[in-house]
Amino acid sequence: MEKNLLFIVNPASGKGQISQNLMNITDIFIKAGYRVRLHTTQDHLDAKNLVTSEGENYDLIVAAGGDGTLSEVIGGVLRLENRVKIGYIPCGSTNDFANSLQLPKQPVRAARVITDGVPFRCDTGSFNDRNFNYVAAFGAFTDVSYETPQENKNMFGHLAYIIEGMSRLPKLPSYEMKITCDGETISGNFILGMIMNSNFVGGIKGDRLVKADLSDGLFELLLFETPSNILDLQGIITSLIRGESEGKGYFLKKVKEVTVETDDEIKWTLDGEFGGNDKKAKIEVIEHAVDIMVAKDNKAISAADSDDKE
């Protein structure tokens, strides 16, 4: 029996590599027994709105784009009564979540993982009345991903984020806030905070420090206090390089629920996209929220683990 596949492509992502492979990818899906509908995203939230309104008509929904495109597709699937399986072809500049899932960066290989792989039941998160996939963040450099021009991302890749981030160093803001995580309250001044479900953030591999399990019902909370001088900042950087889970000026904790409160609105980033300005943010883990296709021989997520979560 023929199955239906919705293929959502963000043509602006990455260096246009996906457009060069569309025929081969579509052929792989058809040979796997799918009737394919191709949709190119037109604007912000287009993918989410399409999946929300029509997603239940499909057996599989494939997102080709960056982490933001995948986040929109997942946000749409979460609104469906029957949550459709998701395939991901990473085509962005950093592809943090795809790296955590060990998905191939080559589009045709990623398509074969979708047709030949196994579903992995993955956690995702809620942020007030919105959803995010793998990271909610505030503070230093967190807006770099969505304020860096797309043409720079396409030309320079991850280097574009580094160039943009370096320009921010002389004017890092500090935020006074109260953070409540699973009943524990932390108050202080912070320059950066991340609630994440990934071993990669901003294209940087952080598994020496963060060892995320994408299906354990917990996210990692990483907070950086405002350094009083350049020596304190250097000490924080040294501790991070060493992979120390706790050090002077920062700490890491596994959490299920986090509430962040401030007197002034702060900018939030959700999966590399602008997430709004909020004085209060409640972040919760949605355990085993969606099924994402991964390779059978995935070293981080075994097929047996996937089957156990069915």
Side-chain angles (χ1 to χ4, degrees):
M1 180 178 177
E2 196 169 46
K3 300 165 289 185
N4 294 316
L5 184 153
L6 176 59
F7 187 17
I8 298 176
V9 177
N10 181 350
S13 291
K15 300 178 181 180
Q17 190 179 15
I18 186 64
S19 62
Q20 303 167 19
N21 291 279
L22 277 178
M23 291 295 292
N24 289 333
I25 292 170
T26 303
D27 186 58
I28 289 170
F29 293 154
I30 291 173
K31 282 183 167 61
Y34 288 100
R35 180 189 295 112
V36 180
R37 177 193 170 189
L38 172 65
H39 177 87
T40 55
T41 57
Q42 303 300 305
D43 49 37
H44 180 56
L45 294 182
D46 183 34
K48 181 178 181 178
N49 293 334
L50 175 63
V51 173
T52 301
S53 62
E54 301 182 22
E56 290 187 340
N57 298 327
Y58 297 90
D59 301 283
L60 177 65
I61 299 173
V62 176
D67 289 327
T69 305
L70 176 65
S71 182
E72 283 196 30
V73 168
I74 289 177
V77 168
L78 289 175
R79 284 159 174 76
L80 302 179
E81 185 174 347
N82 298 310
R83 295 182 182 175
V84 182
K85 293 176 183 177
I86 298 169
Y88 183 30
I89 299 176
C91 306
S93 302
T94 54
N95 303 309
D96 289 323
F97 196 65
N99 287 330
S100 291
L101 288 171
Q102 299 185 356
L103 297 179
K105 295 179 181 178
Q106 208 286 330
V108 172
R109 287 183 58 206
R112 293 195 185 281
V113 166
I114 293 169
T115 57
D116 301 339
V118 294
F120 168 65
R121 190 148 292 175
C122 184
D123 299 337
T124 187
S126 67
F127 178 94
N128 291 341
D129 59 344
R130 285 154 278 175
N131 294 106
F132 69 97
N133 187 19
Y134 73 96
V135 63
F138 67 84
F141 312 125
T142 56
D143 61 349
V144 167
S145 60
Y146 63 81
E147 291 198 353
T148 302
Q150 183 65 49
E151 58 268 25
N152 289 359
K153 297 179 188 177
N154 293 345
M155 184 177 298
F156 299 112
H158 179 58
L159 180 60
Y161 296 110
I162 297 174
I163 294 170
E164 179 69 18
M166 287 174 64
S167 70
R168 310 290 183 86
L169 287 173
K171 47 185 178 182
L172 292 180
S174 177
Y175 305 94
E176 183 177 355
M177 55 181 56
K178 181 176 78 171
I179 300 172
T180 305
C181 47
D182 297 340
E184 177 185 354
T185 299
I186 305 159
S187 297
N189 290 284
F190 303 93
I191 60 169
L192 171 64
M194 294 183 284
I195 301 96
M196 52 190 170
N197 194 36
S198 174
N199 289 315
F200 291 77
V201 176
I204 299 171
K205 187 175 183 180
D207 59 357
R208 287 189 64 187
L209 178 67
V210 179
K211 301 188 186 305
D213 180 338
L214 277 59
S215 63
D216 63 354
L218 297 169
F219 281 2
E220 279 64 38
L221 169 65
L222 181 59
L223 294 172
F224 295 86
E225 296 176 351
T226 305
S228 56
N229 53 57
I230 190 65
L231 290 178
D232 285 349
L233 180 58
Q234 289 176 343
I236 292 173
I237 294 171
T238 299
S239 297
L240 290 172
I241 292 173
R242 290 174 178 169
E244 298 171 1
S245 60
E246 289 191 30
K248 183 180 179 181
Y250 75 95
F251 76 94
L252 176 69
K253 178 182 176 68
K254 285 187 175 289
V255 296
K256 195 171 195 65
E257 180 180 308
V258 179
T259 301
V260 179
E261 299 174 87
T262 59
D263 291 333
D264 301 311
E265 291 183 344
I266 61 171
K267 289 183 179 180
W268 282 87
T269 300
L270 304 179
D271 297 339
E273 304 290 337
F274 177 59
N277 298 300
D278 294 271
K279 291 184 178 181
K280 183 175 181 179
K282 185 174 182 180
I283 300 112
E284 297 177 280
V285 178
I286 306 174
E287 189 172 0
H288 299 169
V290 291
D291 288 332
I292 299 179
M293 302 303 295
V294 300
K296 291 179 180 178
D297 60 351
N298 189 301
K299 294 178 181 178
I301 305 159
S302 70
D305 288 338
S306 299
D307 292 339
D308 288 345
K309 294 178 177 67
E310 286 293 332

